Amino acid sequence: MPAKLDMVIVGSGPGGLAAGLLAKQHSKSFIILEKGKHTMQGIIDTYPKGKKVYPTIPKSYPDPFPVLEIKPPDEKIPVEKYVEQAQTVVTQNDLQLHFNEEFKEISGNFPDYIVKTDKGSYFTENIILAFGSNIPNDLGIYGEAKTVARNIENGEDYIGINVLVIGGGNAAADVVSSLSKIKREAQDETTSVYWAHLNERFEINKDTARDLGEEILLGGHIKILQKAVPKIGEVDADGIDRLYIHQTTTSSFGDDLYIYQGMSFPMKNVIACIGTHGPSAIFDALNLQQITCTGAICKIAKEGERLLMLSHHLETNRNGIYAIGGAISPSYMEIASDGIIKEKKHSNLIYTAVLDAKKVMEKVLPD
């Protein structure tokens, strides 16, 4: 096992990179673990290609951007440009970033923790959990884990093929619009973007609806499939994993016999934008204290939602383990110095994640 580190940072999003930069500036030893193959993999996975990024600062936070190297430019830029900016920061500052290495568990106690990954173990005093909240929901279909995409890393790969996008929210709508534009500009007149949702109603905001409507008016090949239910993951005669979805069911022919009407797509042509779930199960596995919301306790979070308990410096009930960024959004429980517990709203913004990193470093780093 290598020498003891001052900190292990899990996740290379804005919060994780900000923590690494601050650690570097104070000559602290650290590594940043990233389970994906790119810097800011979480943002790549949740922002469709070309989506604009900007340095939103909530009105209740009048201070300037906490770590300027991670600040997006004031003019809106595509997400790809922001990821390039982040990669430049990593290179120029020689941040110790380990790609394709997935965090698994923590053993030991403060100040002697061991962080285990799928590739090794690290001895450290502090741990910063900055892995965000974008843990994808499953379709529950055989074979999906290894074949169904969650984003479009390269939209040009879908030119000339029929593609299915599943999901009824903004993320799915953005992907549908982006793919349709790519096909239209490539003059792909023979294939379409199929947009499937479990329900009849699609829940998207006005800006997303405007972009989608504009693409449809420009001649985008978008076909909407309402009440479309993923049913079967199967392998066809050519050995290709396929996803079958059905839309309608005939009335019974007797003896429980029905006829289904649906469509079948190769799973490699399916993009599932069906939302994400929070890391509550991970927090449980790490023995980090959470509170289940009830009407008397929570005013911001949903009834039954479980919120992590953190100090003012975002330290969990286990000394030396901190949680920042999307991992604690949209709210968490703060334990004040006088012991009073109150719910804290926590916006899932680039600014907020970077501010979180600064708060943690105020506790970890020397004055």
Side-chain angles (χ1 to χ4, degrees), residues 179-189 215 218-220:
L179 286 175
S180 176
K181 181 179 180 182
I182 290 168
K183 285 177 173 289
R184 177 172 52 79
E185 291 179 345
Q187 298 183 340
D188 178 2
E189 302 292 337
E215 180 55 35
L218 289 171

Side-chain angles (χ1 to χ4, degrees), residues 2-3 11 18 126 130 148 160-161 183 190 260 262 276 318:
N126 299 287
V148 171
I161 63 175
K183 285 177 173 289
T190 60
Y260 289 117
T276 61
R318 297 183 67 181

Side-chain angles (χ1 to χ4, degrees), residues 212-270:
L212 189 65
E214 180 181 340
E215 180 55 35
I216 292 172
L217 288 173
L218 289 171
H221 289 240
I222 299 172
K223 299 185 183 299
I224 295 177
L225 309 176
Q226 297 165 296
K227 301 182 74 172
V229 183
K231 278 292 184 182
I232 302 172
E234 59 187 358
V235 180
D236 65 16
D238 296 321
I240 297 174
D241 287 318
R242 300 186 71 88
L243 173 68
Y244 170 77
I245 60 170
H246 93 254
Q247 288 182 269
T248 60
T249 306
T250 66
S251 58
S252 173
F253 282 79
D255 297 324
D256 297 323
L257 176 63
Y258 298 87
I259 295 177
Y260 289 117
Q261 175 182 328
M263 305 181 75
S264 175
F265 294 82
M267 283 193 181
K268 63 183 179 181
N269 298 359
V270 176

Side-chain angles (χ1 to χ4, degrees), residues 39 81-94:
T39 304
K81 290 292 185 183
Y82 184 55
V83 172
E84 286 180 12
Q85 173 186 328
Q87 184 56 56
T88 299
V89 169
V90 170
T91 303
Q92 290 180 344
N93 292 274
D94 192 26

Side-chain angles (χ1 to χ4, degrees), residues 103-237:
F103 163 76
K104 290 296 186 182
E105 61 181 79
I106 297 170
S107 60
N109 295 289
F110 181 79
D112 299 319
Y113 287 117
I114 296 176
V115 174
K116 297 181 180 179
T117 73
D118 59 349
K119 292 185 177 179
S121 299
Y122 302 94
F123 189 32
T124 185
E125 180 173 342
N126 299 287
I127 301 165
I128 301 175
L129 304 176
F131 43 58
S133 61
N134 58 321
I135 302 170
N137 294 329
D138 290 333
L139 285 170
I141 302 299
Y142 172 77
E144 93 173 275
K146 62 182 179 180
T147 53
V148 171
R150 303 289 170 177
N151 67 311
I152 47 172
E153 283 194 17
N154 187 4
E156 286 71 22
D157 291 344
Y158 296 94
I159 295 172
I161 63 175
N162 291 301
V163 57
L164 172 69
V165 180
I166 303 176
N170 291 321
D174 279 332
V175 169
V176 168
S177 181
S178 296
L179 286 175
S180 176
K181 181 179 180 182
I182 290 168
K183 285 177 173 289
R184 177 172 52 79
E185 291 179 345
Q187 298 183 340
D188 178 2
E189 302 292 337
T190 60
T191 65
S192 301
V193 181
Y194 290 84
W195 186 13
H197 185 35
L198 290 170
N199 304 318
E200 290 187 9
R201 185 180 178 85
F202 292 74
E203 301 289 341
I204 59 177
N205 62 34
K206 291 181 180 179
D207 289 341
T208 303
R210 183 180 62 248
D211 292 343
L212 189 65
E214 180 181 340
E215 180 55 35
I216 292 172
L217 288 173
L218 289 171
H221 289 240
I222 299 172
K223 299 185 183 299
I224 295 177
L225 309 176
Q226 297 165 296
K227 301 182 74 172
V229 183
K231 278 292 184 182
I232 302 172
E234 59 187 358
V235 180
D236 65 16

